[in-house]
Amino acid sequence: MTTTGAAGVEGTGDLCCASVVDAPLSQSEADRLARVFAALADPVRLRLLSLVAAQAEICSCDLEAPLARSQPTVSHHTKVLAEAGLIVGHKRGRWTWWRIEPGRLSEVRAAIGG
Amino acid sequence: MTTTGAAGVEGTGDLCCASVVDAPLSQSEADRLARVFAALADPVRLRLLSLVAAQAEICSCDLEAPLARSQPTVSHHTKVLAEAGLIVGHKRGRWTWWRIEPGRLSEVRAAIGG
DNA sequence: CCGACGCATCGACAATACTCAATACATGGA
DNA sequence: TCCATGTATTGAGTATTGTCGATGCGTCGG
C-alpha cells in the first residue's frame, strides 16, 4: 500500500505548467496550487517535512517526540502532506515509513517562478 | 506610504537560509515559513498575485472584477499578501497601486530547495 | 490464540480564516 | 466647502483547521 492521496507523483492535482508569475492563473490552477501551499502552511508540518527529508525514510513513531505532538496529530499531518503529494508512506510490518517526494517540491518551485 | 507589513524586502520575517530540505527546521524558522505559505494557500490570493505579477503595477479597483470578490474582501487579501512581503502597495491620489516583490518569491523558492 | 504495539479514524472543542454589508477615512473635483 | 470616489476597517456569520482523548484495525511475539 502506498499512502498517497492520488495516483503517481501527483498528490491532489497536477501542477505542471501553472505559474503564478506568468499569465493569470485559472480558477482550477489556483485551487490546485493553493491546496499544496495549504499543506505547507503549518509550522508543525514544515518541521515534519524537514525531518522526513533529512533521513531518506522515517517511521511515524519517530516523529511524535521531535514534533511534541500526540500520535493522532502526527498521523493527521502525515496524511495532509501525503494527500498533497509531498511525502509518500508505505507500511512495513507494524510501522509506516515515510519518505519525501522531491519531485513535488520541484513542481511547487516551478509554480512560483523556478 | 508603503503598505508593507514590515521593513524592507522582508514581510513577516526573514526567510534567509531556512530550508525545508536541509537540517531540521527550527521552531521559529518553521513559523516564519508557514506564515508565507499561509498567504499563498488561498486560490483568490494566488490569482490576485498572478494579476499583480502580470502588470508591473495594478490598482485595487481593477482586481474586484477578475477576482469576483467584494471590495472589502479584495482589500483583505492584498493586506495579507503585503504582510507576507509578497506584494508592495503605495497610494497615489485616491488609488492604491500594487506591485510584486519578486525577491520574496525567490526566498520562498530557496526555502524549498531552490 | 491472545495481548501488546503502531497507526488510522472518530468526535469534540477552540482557534482561525473567508466573506460581505455597513461604516469610517482620505483624497480630489466642483 | 461639499460631495463623490477609492480604499481600509469593523462586525458578524459560516466554514475550515489544529489538537487531543477515545476507539478501532491490523500486525507481530509469545
Side-chain angles (χ1 to χ4, degrees):
Chain A
M1 151 250 198
T2 54
T3 318
T4 317
V9 181
E10 346 296 351
T12 307
D14 192 7
L15 261 50
C16 173
C17 314
S19 176
V20 178
V21 292
D22 287 351
L25 254 51
S26 74
Q27 179 79 49
S28 60
E29 286 171 329
D31 283 339
R32 286 195 298 270
L33 248 181
R35 262 190 290 261
V36 184
F37 283 128
L40 295 169
D42 181 273
V44 174
R45 279 198 294 271
L46 284 179
R47 289 193 295 137
L48 199 165
L49 189 62
S50 79
L51 287 169
V52 173
Q55 310 207 17
E57 208 170 36
I58 191 171
C59 169
S60 288
C61 55
D62 289 329
L63 292 170
E64 300 181 33
L67 296 177
R69 291 296 186 283
S70 71
Q71 178 271 318
T73 298
V74 169
S75 182
H76 166 68
H77 287 310
T78 52
K79 183 180 184 180
V80 172
L81 288 172
E83 284 177 347
L86 292 163
I87 63 176
V88 179
H90 48 48
K91 277 183 123 131
R92 215 158 48 226
R94 261 182 295 209
W95 297 272
T96 303
W97 295 88
W98 301 97
R99 57 179 174 78
I100 200 165
E101 189 65 57
R104 190 60 164 179
L105 274 182
S106 299
E107 288 182 15
V108 175
R109 209 178 312 126
I112 57 176
Chain B
M1 148 254 196
T2 53
T3 317
T4 317
V9 180
E10 346 296 351
T12 307
D14 192 7
L15 260 50
C16 174
C17 313
S19 176
V20 179
V21 292
D22 286 352
L25 253 51
S26 73
Q27 180 79 49
S28 59
E29 286 171 330
D31 283 339
R32 287 195 298 270
L33 248 181
R35 264 191 288 262
V36 184
F37 283 128
L40 295 169
D42 181 274
V44 174
R45 279 198 293 271
L46 284 179
R47 289 193 294 137
L48 199 165
L49 188 62
S50 76
L51 287 168
V52 173
Q55 310 206 17
E57 211 171 34
I58 191 171
C59 171
S60 287
C61 56
D62 289 329
L63 292 171
E64 300 180 32
L67 295 177
R69 289 296 185 284
S70 71
Q71 178 270 320
T73 298
V74 170
S75 182
H76 165 69
H77 286 309
T78 52
K79 183 180 184 180
V80 171
L81 287 173
E83 284 176 348
L86 292 162
I87 63 175
V88 178
H90 47 51
K91 275 185 124 130
R92 218 161 41 229
R94 262 181 297 210
W95 296 271
T96 303
W97 295 87
W98 302 95
R99 59 180 173 77
I100 200 166
E101 188 67 55
R104 190 61 165 178
L105 274 182
S106 301
E107 287 183 14
V108 176
R109 208 179 312 127
I112 57 177

